[in-house]
Amino acid sequence: MDNILKLLKQNARLSNKEIASMTGLTEEAVAAKIKEYESSGVIKGYSAILDDDLADKDNVTCFIAVKVTPTAEFGFDAIAKKILSYKEVESLTLMSGAFDLAVTISGTNYKEIALFVAQRLSTIEGVVSTSTHFFLKRYKDKGFMINADDKDERSFVSP
Amino acid sequence: MMDYDRILSEKCKEIKPSGIRKFFDIANSMEGVISLGVGEPDFATPWSIRSKAIDTLQKGKTVYTANAGLLELRVAISKYLERKYNLKYDPKEDIIITVGGSEAIDLCIRAVVDPGDEVLVVEPSFVCYKPIVDLMHGVPVVIETKPEDNFKLTAEALREKITDKTKLLILPFPNNPTGAILTRPELEAIAEVLRGTNILVLTDEIYSELTYQGKHVSIAEIDGMQERTLYVNGFSKAFAMTGWRLGYVAGPQPLVSQMLKIHQYAIMCSPTVSQYAAIEALENCDKDVQAMVREYDMRRRYIVNAFNELGLDCFEPGGAFYVFPCIKSTGLTSQQFCEDLLYKHKVAVVPGDAFGNCGEGYIRVSYAYSLQHLKTAVEYIGEYLDDLKKNNG
Ligand SMILES: Cc1ncc(COP(=O)(O)O)c(C=O)c1O
C-alpha cells in the first residue's frame, strides 16, 4: 500500500504538510495524490474511531450472519443492494464459509434491532435465515485499542 | 557500625551517576508524563522470535550453553556478517555471545586497557564507555564531534588526539544520541589515520540495522581494518529485543580468546532461551526489521521537520532512533530546559550533556513512539516554547 494511504489509515487528520515531511514528497504532490485517491474512489471518506459506549450511552451494535439463496434473477448483489439501502446498516460484506452476508447494524436498543431483523431483513426475498449477535464489549477497532490496556511498559527515561 | 565509605573502592566511588538518573526519578514521581526519553524500541519482538523462545522452553532447553554461546548462533552471526558486510569470522574462534552489546563493550575494554592507557572516546555518545575505561584505570580522551560536521568523527579530529599512549578508539556510529552515521568515504579517511598504528578500534554498531540514508557500512569492511577492529553488535535495537539481553563481539582470535576468559568467569554464558530465539532473528526476520525501519523512518522525517518548525535547529540524523535538536536559542542550559519542560509541560526528554560535555545546548529526543504520541508531545513542546517567548519578551 502507498505510504500516504498507510499514514491516513493511522491518522486521517494528518495535514498534507505533515504527510509531505514524512514521505519526502512535496505538499503539492501529496495534495494531488490524495485528490486522485478521492476521485478514483480509493478513499471513500474519513471518519473518527470512537468508543461508542462512551460517545453514546444509548448505542447497541450487532453483527448479523445472513444466509441467502440467490436465484438467477435475484443474485447476491441484488440481495445485498436491498440490504444496504437501509440506513441502519453500517457495513455489509459478502463472506465465504458458513453464511453469506455479514451485516453490522447500530440502533438505540435491542428491541429496535430485533424489530429491524424481523420486519426488514428476514422478509427480503432470498434471505433464508439470520442469526443476530450483539456486541458486548469492543477491545480493538481498526487497529485502535478501545477497551484494552495498551500500557507502555518502558521506563520514562533510559540511556 | 560499618564504615561503608572505607569498604567501597575509590574507583567505584569516583564513577559519576548517570545524568539520566535524575530525570528518571523526577518523571517517575509525576502523573501523566509524556515521555520522549527512552532508548529502546516501542515494537514488541517479532512474533516468530518469541515463538522460537516458547518452543525452546517447551522442549526444556534450559541448561548452560558453551561459554562463547551456542555454536549454531555463532554460525548464524558469522553468516549474517558475511551477508551484510562481506566480513569473514570463524564462528569457533572469533565470536562471543554476550549479555547485550553492553557486556561486549565491557569485555573489549577490560581485555585491552592497562592503567594509564589512553582510550579515545567520541562524544556525544552512549554513557557506558568512559566509566568502564575509568574502572580499568585507563585514561578516557574525549574527541568532541561538532554540529558543523554533522556530529561525525573526522580524520583530523582523530589525528589530533592520538599519542603514543593511545591504545583504543571507541567508534559509536550510528550514534546515540545524535543519530549521526559514517559513510564509506568518511570511514576510509578514519582508517587511513589508523592503518599504520597499533591502535585498536572498538566499533559499537548496535544501531547498524536502523539506518535511513543508504546501507550501513562497518569500519571492519574497510581495507586493513578487520585485523584492528573489535566489532560489537546486538539484538536489542534491530530486533526490538532489549529485555532478552543478547549481543555479541567478533574480532581477531588472539583478542577474543583472551576476552572469553573474562566472560567465562564473570558471566558463564548468555541466556540460553534468548540465544535460541536469536537464531530465528538472524535467519528469518529481515522483513520484520524492514517494516520497523520504514516506520522509524516516517517518524524521523516527521520529528526533524517538527523541531525545525518549532524553531529548534535539528540536524537530520541518518541512523538510530533519536534526534538531537539544539536548544541554545532559548538561552537555557540543557538541564534547565529539560527540567522546566518536564515540570511545566510534562514532557520528558534527555539533556544532551548526559552524553558528554559537548552535548550541552542540545536535547535527545527519541522517536521510538507512535506517531500519535509524537504529535502530542510536539504540541506540548510548542506550548512550552511559546510560554518561554512570552516570559522573555
Ligand atoms: C550506543 C549503544 N550501545 C550499546 C547499547 C547497549 O545495548 P544492549 O546492551 O541492550 O545491547 C546501547 C543501548 O542503549 C546503545 O545505545
Side-chain angles (χ1 to χ4, degrees), chain A residues 47-145:
Chain A
S47 83
I49 291 136
L50 304 181
D51 182 334
D52 288 330
D53 295 338
L54 290 181
D56 178 8
K57 284 210 169 48
D58 301 316
N59 175 280
V60 187
T61 305
C62 77
F63 160 81
I64 308 165
V66 182
K67 281 189 193 162
V68 302
T69 32
T71 57
E73 72 273 40
F74 214 52
F76 282 122
D77 283 350
I79 299 170
K81 231 175 231 165
K82 208 71 197 246
I83 296 175
L84 61 80
S85 68
Y86 295 120
K87 71 169 185 351
E88 293 87 343
V89 172
E90 278 186 356
S91 76
L92 173 60
T93 317
L94 180 63
M95 310 289 289
S96 69
F99 60 93
D100 305 302
L101 293 167
V103 185
T104 51
I105 292 182
S106 273
T108 52
N109 58 56
Y110 291 85
K111 203 163 160 191
E112 191 182 299
I113 289 183
L115 280 175
F116 176 86
V117 175
Q119 297 177 346
R120 311 262 188 103
L121 203 56
S122 339
T123 52
I124 292 172
E125 196 185 336
V127 169
V128 178
S129 74
T130 63
S131 113
T132 305
H133 309 267
F134 286 96
F135 285 24
L136 298 181
K137 181 176 178 184
R138 288 194 312 156
Y139 296 96
K140 193 176 177 182
D141 189 22
K142 302 218 164 66
F144 288 77
M145 298 298 166

Side-chain angles (χ1 to χ4, degrees), chain A residues 159, chain B residues 39 100-102 105 126 129 176 204 206-207 236-237 245-246 322:
Chain B
S102 299
I105 294 163
F126 186 51
Y129 313 124
N176 172 11
D204 178 352
I206 197 107
Y207 293 99
S236 289
K237 318 288 173 169
R245 307 312 303 127
L246 210 65
Y322 312 102

Side-chain angles (χ1 to χ4, degrees), chain B residues 278-292:
Chain B
I279 298 169
E280 171 69 18
L282 292 175
E283 290 181 348
N284 295 314
C285 291
D286 283 8
K287 281 226 168 66
D288 301 87
V289 175
Q290 281 160 16
M292 289 190 272

Side-chain angles (χ1 to χ4, degrees), chain A residues 158-159, chain B residues 39-40 99-105 125-129 172-177 204-207 232-237 241-243 245-248 321-322 364:
Chain A
S158 64
Chain B
E40 58 179 321
V99 179
S102 299
E103 193 223 343
I105 294 163
S125 62
F126 186 51
V127 294
C128 79
Y129 313 124
F173 295 93
N175 185 274
N176 172 11
D204 178 352
E205 300 186 19
I206 197 107
Y207 293 99
V232 169
N233 207 333
F235 297 86
S236 289
K237 318 288 173 169
M241 291 177 70
T242 45
R245 307 312 303 127
L246 210 65
Y248 55 91
F321 39 58
Y322 312 102
R364 189 196 70 176

